[in-house]
Every structure is written in C-alpha cells, then in structure tokens.
C-alpha cells in the first residue's frame, strides 16, 4: 500500500474526506453484494456475460476497497497518502474489467466508471479529475474496439461513443465545478483558518508585550527611585544636577510609555473592570492642572480654566477618567510651544461638555483621521516632542467611550486644536433610571 507514513512529503490531503469515504464505502458494499449475488444466485445474474472474470475482479475489488477503507479511516483525519491517486487509477482498470465482464459496451452498467472519477474529485484537484476522466474514456474506447463479442450487434458503436461522450461531459462538468465553485469555497475556508491563526498570533503578541512591559516596570521604578534619592541626598553642582534632572525626566517618560503599553494590551484583552462612582469633573480637572504645573511653568504657555455655574457630576471610574482627560490636557500643553491652553467646563442638555483648546502646532489635515489610532504620531508632533508613545489618545478615547461619552476635535495646522469631550451628566442618568423603575 505504498507510503503510509503520516506527514511525509508525499502525503496528499483529501479535502473532502467524508464524501471520499462514502464513495469508498459504497463501492465496497456494492462489490461484496454483487460478488455474493452472482456467486449464490446465478439464476438472477443474467446481467453478467463473463461470470468467472466478474467474480475474480469483484473479489479483488472488495478486498482492495476493504484494505483501502481501513487505511483511509485510520489516516484520513489528518491526511491521506499518495495512494489516493494510485487507488483511483487501479479502480478505473478494475471497473473497466468488471464492465467487460458485464457485457462491455452492451452492458446496462456502462457508466459505473464514473465512480473512481468521482472519488478522485473529492481531492478538489481539477487536473487530476481531468486526467482520470480521460483515462476512463481511453480505457472504455480500448474495450469497445478490442471486444469482439458484440461488435457486430446493431448500434454497438453508437452506444459506445455516446458512453464516451457522456463520460467526457461528466468529467468536464466535475472539472469546472471544482475549478470554479468548490475550490473557491475551500479557499474561503483557508482564509478563515488563516484569520484565526492571525488572531492567535495577535493574542500571543499581546501576551508577550504585557509580560515584557511588566518586567520593565520594576527596574525602571528602581531607577527613578535612585535618581530621586541622589538628587535629595547631596548638594550637586549645577551641571551634575541638570544631568540628574534630565535623566530622571527621561526615566519618568519611559515609565509613562511602558504604562501606556500595558494599558493598551489590557484594553485589547478587555480585561479592565471599571468602577462606578459619582465624581466631580471640576475637581478632577483641577487635580490635572496641579499635576501639570511643572510642565506648564517650563514653557511660555498660559493655562486658563473656566467653568459655568453649577455642579459637574458624572458616574465614572475617577482614576481612569482622570487618566483620559490628563492625556488630552497634557497633549494641549505638550504640543503648544507657546500661547494659551483653555479648559472650559459647561452643560450641554443632558451631558457635560469639556473643551480643551490650545494655540499650538495643530494637526496636519492628512493625519487627522488617524490620531486616535494606537502608536500613531503626526510628523510635526514628533519634531516637537520625542518622548511619546502615540497611544495616549487611543486610551483616552476607549476610556471616554466606556463611560458612554464621545471625544472629537477640530484643528488647524499652525493655529491650534480644540478637543471636545461629552459625558453623560450624573443627574440625567439618575433621572432616566428613576423613570425606568
Ligand atoms: P502622543 O504620545 O504622541 O502624544 P497621543 O495618542 O496622545 O500620542 O496623540 C496622538 C497624536 O495626535 C500626537 O502624536 C499628535 O500628532 C496629535 N495630537 C494630539 N493632541 C494634539 C494637540 N493638542 N495638538 C497637536 N497635535 C496633537
């Protein structure tokens, strides 16, 4: 039975193994059935012209089918060896011999040779189907010309040639179905499988990035602690102090980037559980402004915070929402070498509107669509600020959207940018909850 080694290079996968096995099984059952019928009930076997030849070939076919079924069922779950083609070729010879024993061209079973072509077609190889179909037609023609038993009967060649034409049509029909239809479906399946493989690769990548980022965080925090400690413990001269300060800033920036990356991979895993607390947005924004004081005072930037009269409560995860707003305000300061950053808090029907406007570098029109994409940075921003990861807005947007809010912006290159954030007002949420009760 040739090469049955699993996974060898000569292995040929059968792509529709179920149908392939059904045809094999049917062939085996028919072979046994007809063998027993002709052997046991000769009086009911007048369709056989050459009894002895028929019995021998049927016995051989039964045995061969049984053996092949055994191997196919044992190995087909993954792959079937090259013997599939060998088997189909042998089948064609055997079935032509059976056809001869049944009376050749005059037999009622003239088209049984379609079986091996059908079985071979389940491999979805159009060319192989065509070759096997041609082989059947050639063998049929050879039998027609060499068989002298019934050649003189009327209509012999007409029947023979019609069989050959039918075989040709059948083969060509199968060939085109495989080529156009079934194969396309198979390819779709392949594409689906590839997609899921990619999803798996993506998951592994996220896992890897998360592990590496967490590993990086510990030594970086130690480094920051060491710089803080060094700066506090000794009176360094101005030059050394400057170096220490810059190094500390770089380590802080690195820690920020690593935290952002961890946050992004957490978002991808949808792992983050959000708290829900009633919090005052004015207070959150004042906290952010206090945190950015150092950054602001190092630049020629004025910061203004205005709020309409009233309270600005939202239901949120205060720490995460603070993080989202911090990213947006931080950007406004970061990307404004000079000028003004204004934060305005107002009510907009059932929502609270926060506007963060700056008179900074602006966002090039061509880049505007991509600024919420992770790791994207506009070229003008890269020139102004090198220590940034390009994930701040991606994170901010996901957090705001998880709070049923929206974030939008308008920008003009060289003139400035305005971000507008809308969040559901706590009172409005409470009211709609009451109404639903
Ligand atoms: P980054 O870490 O680069 O600041 P973000 O995700 O926060 O990443 O922002 C993405 C990009 O959007 C920035 O690199 C910058 O090109 C642009 N951007 C965001 N906010 C502003 C702003 N206020 N002014 C100009 N460009 C901005």
């Amino acid at each position: 039975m040739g090469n049955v080694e699993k996974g060898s290079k000569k292995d040929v996968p059968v792509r529709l193994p179920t149908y392939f096995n059904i045809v094999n099984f049917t062939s085996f059952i028919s072979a046994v059935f007809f063998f027993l019928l002709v052997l046991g009930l000769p009086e009911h076997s007048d369709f056989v012209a050459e009894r002895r030849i028929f019995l021998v070939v049927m016995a051989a076919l039964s045995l061969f089918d049984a053996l092949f079924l055994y191997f196919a069922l044992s190995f087909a779950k993954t792959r079937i060896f090259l013997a599939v083609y060998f088997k189909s070729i042998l089948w064609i010879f055997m079935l032509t011999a059976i056809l001869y024993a049944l009376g050749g061209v005059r037999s009622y079973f003239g088209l049984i040779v379609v079986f091996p072509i059908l079985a071979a077609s389940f491999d979805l190889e159009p060319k192989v189907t065509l070759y096997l179909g041609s082989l059947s037609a050639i063998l049929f023609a050879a039998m027609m010309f060499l068989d002298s038993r019934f050649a003189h009967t009327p209509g012999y060649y007409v029947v023979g040639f019609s069989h050959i034409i039918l075989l040709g049509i059948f083969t060509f029909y199968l060939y085109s179905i495989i080529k156009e239809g079934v194969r396309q479906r198979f390819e779709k399946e392949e594409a689906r499988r590839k997609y899921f493989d990619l999803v798996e690769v993506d998951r592994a990548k996220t896992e890897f990035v998360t592990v590496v980022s967490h590993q990086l965080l510990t030594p970086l925090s130690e480094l920051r602690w060491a710089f803080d400690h060094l700066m506090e413990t000794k009176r360094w001269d101005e030059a050394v102090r400057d170096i220490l300060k810059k190094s500390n800033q770089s380590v802080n920036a690195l820690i920020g980037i690593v935290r952002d990356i961890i946050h992004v991979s957490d978002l991808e895993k949808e792992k983050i559980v959000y708290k829900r607390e009633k919090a005052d947005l004015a207070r959150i924004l004042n906290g952010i402004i206090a945190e950015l004081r150092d950054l602001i005072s190092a630049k020629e930037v004025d910061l203004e915070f205005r709020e309409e009269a009233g309270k600005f409560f939202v239901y949120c995860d205060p720490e995460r929402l603070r993080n989202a707003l911090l990213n947006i305000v931080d950007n406004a300061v970061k990307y404004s070498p000079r000028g003004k950053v204004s934060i305005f808090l107002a009510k907009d029907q059932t929502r609270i509107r926060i506007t963060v406007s700056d008179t900074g570098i602006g966002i090039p029109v061509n880049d505007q669509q991509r600024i919420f994409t992770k790791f994207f940075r506009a070229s003008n921003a890269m020139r102004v600020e090198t220590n940034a990861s390009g994930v701040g807005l991606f994170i901010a947007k996901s957090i705001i959207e998880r709070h049923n809010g929206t974030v939008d912006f308008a920008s003009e290159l060289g003139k400035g940018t305005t971000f507008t954030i809308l969040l559901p007002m706590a009172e409005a949420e409470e009211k709609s909850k009451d109404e639903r009760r």
Side-chain angles (χ1 to χ4, degrees), residues 296 299-304 333 338-342 357 359:
I296 298 164
K299 305 181 100 176
E300 295 166 38
V301 177
D302 286 330
L303 192 132
E304 172 197 54
V333 179
R338 65 192 66 79
K340 192 170 172 188
V341 172
S342 319
S357 326
T359 53

Side-chain angles (χ1 to χ4, degrees), residues 25-41:
F25 191 68
T26 318
S27 158
F28 170 67
I29 297 288
S30 329
V32 173
F33 174 78
F34 281 108
F35 175 80
L36 293 176
L37 181 78
V38 173
L39 188 73
L41 300 168

Side-chain angles (χ1 to χ4, degrees), residues 43-105:
E43 68 276 17
H44 291 290
S45 317
D46 50 359
F47 54 87
V48 183
E50 306 279 349
R51 209 164 157 264
R52 213 163 333 129
I53 297 179
F54 182 81
L55 285 174
V56 170
V57 185
M58 272 305 188
L61 186 65
S62 312
L63 190 70
F64 180 68
D65 275 347
L67 272 175
F68 197 84
L69 255 177
Y70 169 73
F71 282 114
L73 292 176
S74 322
F75 297 100
K77 277 195 187 107
T78 47
R79 311 180 126 212
I80 277 198
F81 35 90
L82 199 62
V84 170
Y85 298 145
F86 169 71
K87 179 211 160 95
S88 301
I89 292 171
L90 209 70
W91 246 22
I92 291 174
F93 277 96
M94 279 182 171
L95 291 186
T96 314
I98 290 171
L99 195 61
Y100 173 78
L102 291 172
V105 173

Side-chain angles (χ1 to χ4, degrees), residues 331-332 334-335 358 361-363 371 376-378 380-381 388-394 417 419:
N331 279 346
K334 213 161 61 178
Y335 298 121
D358 64 62
I361 58 171
I363 305 167
I371 62 158
F376 178 78
R377 306 197 64 212
N380 63 338
S389 60
V391 293
L393 284 183
F394 170 77
T417 307
F419 276 86

Side-chain angles (χ1 to χ4, degrees), residues 345-397:
L345 195 52
K347 288 191 177 162
D348 189 336
Q349 293 170 12
T350 58
R351 297 190 289 182
I352 294 176
R353 191 180 60 233
I354 308 160
T355 9
V356 180
S357 326
D358 64 62
T359 53
I361 58 171
I363 305 167
V365 179
N366 288 341
D367 292 336
Q368 291 194 357
Q369 273 201 331
R370 299 176 63 193
I371 62 158
F372 290 108
T373 328
K374 60 186 158 182
F375 304 117
F376 178 78
R377 306 197 64 212
S379 51
N380 63 338
M382 286 196 252
R383 280 194 295 273
V384 172
E385 175 64 60
T386 44
N387 274 335
S389 60
V391 293
L393 284 183
F394 170 77
I395 294 172
K397 189 168 195 263

Side-chain angles (χ1 to χ4, degrees), residues 169-229:
I169 293 173
F170 178 74
T171 306
F172 192 75
Y173 181 64
L174 266 185
Y175 167 81
S176 36
I177 296 182
I178 295 167
K179 212 168 168 200
E180 306 300 326
V182 190
R183 198 163 176 91
Q184 260 178 31
R185 246 178 46 205
F186 174 73
E187 269 158 16
K188 257 194 213 156
E189 275 292 306
E190 283 268 296
R192 230 172 78 97
R193 226 194 49 229
K194 278 189 188 139
Y195 168 75
F196 285 112
D197 285 352
L198 280 179
V199 169
E200 179 52 28
V201 170
D202 196 50
R203 194 200 57 74
K205 177 217 73 189
T206 307
E207 198 65 37
F208 172 75
V209 169
T210 313
V211 171
V212 172
S213 313
H214 277 107
Q215 299 279 353
L216 278 175
L217 219 47
T218 318
L220 282 175
S221 307
E222 280 167 9
L223 213 58
R224 175 165 63 181
W225 179 84
F227 280 126
D228 283 346
H229 191 68

